[in-house]
Amino acid sequence: MPEAIRALDAVERMESILTDGAISPFVTYSGGMPSVCMTEATQAGVSYLIETRGYEPWALMFDRQHVYAAGGGPVWYARPDEYQMLKDDERLRTWAVELSGQSDWSHEREWRIPRPADSRGIAPPIPLSELGFCGVLVGDPDWDPRIFAHDPNLGIGHLPHHWDFLPLPALVGIPRYLWNPAENILLCDS
């Protein structure tokens, strides 16, 4: 992942993706082809990822069938010996995550959408509309890009101080889920 993206915090990454209207694939820790990685975690799983694993409560939500139609699917949690057998097959390695006593990521219930890279190693971004963009998870109750999607006349000068973008028109009507850390639950305020 480019340093410019690694340097962004969770909110800035969310704003960048919404501004671009697309999400970029990168090579994962497993190697293989550049991929967009997602979780299909249950609400309990989301709580575990945030409270125990230290993930920040900022995410985009997509329709599962759209993700599948875009070439996505669940990863294979492979035993170490099986995982090693895939080291020379880039296509299969893209789908594999090692599962061992030292490496257990199965709580993520990960899905990936692989994309072939060009000669520079860069894969094209995937438009959010192709993935069935259908919701946002936010960690700040004051962060709601939907209100600005209703009135494009508000303009950059009228956005909250930490925003420098106008959100996608697709945000109109999109449900927003808030992470409530006191109760370890998601609350929908659509």
Side-chain angles (χ1 to χ4, degrees):
M1 178 180 313
E3 179 56 38
I5 293 175
R6 274 198 309 267
L8 300 175
D9 66 25
V11 177
E12 293 167 330
R13 285 184 187 190
M14 173 84 80
E15 291 173 353
S16 175
I17 292 167
L18 292 173
T19 300
D20 294 345
I23 190 163
S24 297
F26 297 101
V27 175
T28 69
Y29 294 112
S30 303
M33 297 167 51
S35 299
V36 169
C37 300
M38 304 173 168
T39 180
E40 191 180 38
T42 62
Q43 184 160 315
V46 170
S47 177
Y48 175 78
L49 291 171
I50 294 169
E51 295 299 317
T52 305
R53 299 296 292 203
Y55 287 47
E56 295 196 50
W58 295 89
L60 300 174
M61 298 174 180
F62 302 102
D63 174 75
R64 182 180 198 220
Q65 200 56 46
H66 278 82
V67 171
Y68 186 82
V75 300
W76 174 30
Y77 294 101
R79 298 172 54 82
D81 52 336
E82 295 164 333
Y83 185 78
Q84 287 307 310
M85 290 175 16
L86 302 173
K87 69 180 178 181
D88 296 325
D89 189 323
E90 180 184 62
R91 187 180 67 78
L92 291 179
R93 185 62 164 245
T94 301
W95 293 102
V97 175
E98 184 175 7
L99 179 62
S100 68
Q102 294 78 37
S103 176
D104 183 355
W105 296 93
S106 58
H107 57 275
E108 287 187 348
R109 296 179 60 174
E110 185 177 351
W111 276 51
R112 292 185 182 166
I113 306 171
R115 288 291 194 257
D118 63 18
S119 60
R120 300 169 295 153
I122 299 171
I126 304 171
L128 299 181
S129 58
E130 183 180 333
L131 302 176
F133 176 48
C134 62
V136 293
L137 165 62
V138 301
D140 178 353
D142 294 329
W143 195 92
D144 190 349
R146 301 169 308 170
I147 59 174
F148 297 100
H150 287 286
D151 186 356
N153 296 323
L154 289 172
I156 303 261
H158 297 88
L159 294 175
H161 71 281
H162 65 284
W163 294 6
D164 60 358
F165 74 102
L166 287 173
L168 294 172
L171 285 169
V172 175
I174 288 285
R176 181 179 76 144
Y177 295 85
L178 301 171
W179 176 250
N180 180 333
E183 299 180 39
N184 293 336
I185 61 170
L186 295 174
L187 304 171
C188 181
D189 77 340
S190 58

